[in-house]
């Protein structure tokens, strides 16, 4: 994960990382202590690791932050501060950016690949052609040019985008649902479906390819609200993060710094857009709703 810092910095993002195994984890204040005290032991360690990761991400963009209380399951940051937290397999990550109007924020870590059967929980029929036609999840290494996306990649892209598009809170001055003050914590695998969304479903979002190697995720109910997301491979898992808003059907080319730093782990798509026959090969039955 640490190797991703320059890539995120090129997108104006700070990265924070923490683990549940760090010695002597302590709450940063009474609100965090009260929240942690009500949790089972494992969840308490994840909660505190997520708060540490968020503070480290904010420090990476030059912002200090004390304790981070919560409202329901959502972290609440002081005015002018925002971070998105995710955790998987004992590792917590967070991304933050310096305050700025109209800048979306969201991330998701999935270190345990999802089964192909989870596609029906994530995708609608009009997205199934994006799926990779391989039977097994990908392994660490570069993606063949033009290859489809795994369920894990698409899940992570949508999970990160949901926080940016449908999040609550307006304390940053950015406005509700785009760069929110309160950003949910996404969890592991299919259980992550409940973490960042008090209502709604990932199937309420539509994901599609972008020519610059990213993907675009839009709200089905309001397609004008869209973000660009990059998903990179981390071992046999993935890390997805929102790069910025999507201005329209086409997206800007990546900066030279992003191209140099993306490397073989970045999500790549054939610039011709899609692969013929992938929907027929996906083997995923049309989801019902």
């Amino acid at each position: 994960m640490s190797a991703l810092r320059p890539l995120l910095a090129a997108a104006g993002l700070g990265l924070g990382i923490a683990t549940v195994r760090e010695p002597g984890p302590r709450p940063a204040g009474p609100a965090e202590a009260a929240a942690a005290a009500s949790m089972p032991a494992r969840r308490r360690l994840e909660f505190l690791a997520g708060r540490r990761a968020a503070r480290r991400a904010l420090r990476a963009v030059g912002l200090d932050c004390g304790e981070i209380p919560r409202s329901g399951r959502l972290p609440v940051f002081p005015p002018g501060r925002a971070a998105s937290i995710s955790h998987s397999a004992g590792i917590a990550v967070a991304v933050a950016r310096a305050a700025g109007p109209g800048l979306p924020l969201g991330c998701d870590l999935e270190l345990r690949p999802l089964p192909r059967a989870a596609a029906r929980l994530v995708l609608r029929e009009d997205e199934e052609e994006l799926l990779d036609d391989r039977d097994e999840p990908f392994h660490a290494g570069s993606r063949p040019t033009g290859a489809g996306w795994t369920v894990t990649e698409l899940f992570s892209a949508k999970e990160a985008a949901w926080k940016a598009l449908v999040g609550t809170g307006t304390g940053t001055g950015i406005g509700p649902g785009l760069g929110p003050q309160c950003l949910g914590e996404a969890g592991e695998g299919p259980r992550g479906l409940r973490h960042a969304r008090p209502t709604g479903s990932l199937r309420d979002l539509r994901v599609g390819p972008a020519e610059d190697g990213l993907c675009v995720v839009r709200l089905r109910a309001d397609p004008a609200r869209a973000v660009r997301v990059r998903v990179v491979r981390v071992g046999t898992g993935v890390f997805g993060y929102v790069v910025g808003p999507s201005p329209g059907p086409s997206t800007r080319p990546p900066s030279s710094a992003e191209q140099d730093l993306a490397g073989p782990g970045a999500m790549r798509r054939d610039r011709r857009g899609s692969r013929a026959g992938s929907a027929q090969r996906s083997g995923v039955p049309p989801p019902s709703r």
Side-chain angles (χ1 to χ4, degrees):
M1 287 298 301
S2 296
L4 297 179
R5 293 184 192 279
L7 180 62
L8 271 72
L13 296 167
L15 175 67
I17 306 170
T19 75
V20 298
R21 298 179 182 86
E22 292 180 24
R26 303 223 187 284
E32 283 189 13
S38 66
M39 298 174 181
R42 177 180 172 181
R43 172 63 186 134
R44 183 184 309 121
L45 291 173
E46 289 179 340
F47 170 79
L48 294 175
R51 268 39 184 189
R52 291 195 302 276
R55 282 187 281 272
R56 291 167 184 174
L58 286 162
R59 282 200 295 271
V61 293
L63 298 172
D64 292 326
C65 184
E67 72 169 340
I68 304 169
R70 65 176 185 161
S71 174
R73 294 188 59 86
L74 297 175
V76 180
F77 294 88
R81 311 287 192 271
S84 178
I85 304 168
S86 181
H87 42 78
S88 179
I91 297 176
V93 297
V95 297
R97 66 168 87 246
L103 297 178
L105 196 60
C107 75
D108 179 67
L109 178 66
E110 301 294 335
L111 295 179
R112 297 187 175 107
L114 302 181
R116 185 63 169 266
R120 65 184 182 85
L121 303 175
V122 180
L123 307 176
R124 293 196 187 185
E125 188 174 2
D126 58 3
E127 299 168 299
E128 289 176 7
E129 67 177 3
L130 301 173
L131 280 169
D132 198 310
D133 57 6
R134 289 172 292 179
D135 292 332
E136 299 295 329
F138 65 79
H139 296 285
S142 62
R143 167 199 296 279
T145 301
W149 298 337
T150 65
V151 176
T152 312
E153 289 173 309
L154 295 172
F155 176 93
S156 189
K158 284 194 171 188
E159 188 75 28
W162 185 279
K163 297 183 210 176
L165 293 170
V166 195
T168 59
T170 58
T172 58
I174 295 172
L178 193 62
Q181 181 189 24
C182 303
L183 293 166
E185 296 181 64
E188 301 178 33
R191 289 176 292 168
L193 290 169
R194 64 181 171 83
H195 284 179
R197 294 173 304 285
T199 59
S201 162
L202 288 184
R203 296 171 71 235
D204 296 329
L205 302 176
R206 182 172 183 178
V207 62
E211 290 185 356
D212 56 9
L214 283 70
C215 63
V216 174
V217 184
R218 300 181 183 277
L219 277 175
R220 289 183 180 272
D222 186 2
R225 296 181 65 184
V227 291
R228 293 177 296 120
V229 182
R230 186 183 295 282
V231 180
V232 295
R233 298 179 181 181
V234 182
T236 58
V238 300
F239 177 62
Y241 63 96
V242 173
V243 175
S246 177
S250 62
T251 56
R252 67 160 179 83
S255 68
S256 58
E258 287 178 308
Q259 288 178 318
D260 293 340
L261 292 165
M267 175 179 289
R268 294 190 177 94
R269 288 287 293 169
D270 189 330
R271 290 182 180 272
R272 291 173 295 182
S274 62
R275 298 174 303 126
S278 58
Q280 288 78 10
R281 294 193 298 269
S282 69
V284 179
S288 59
R289 185 173 177 88

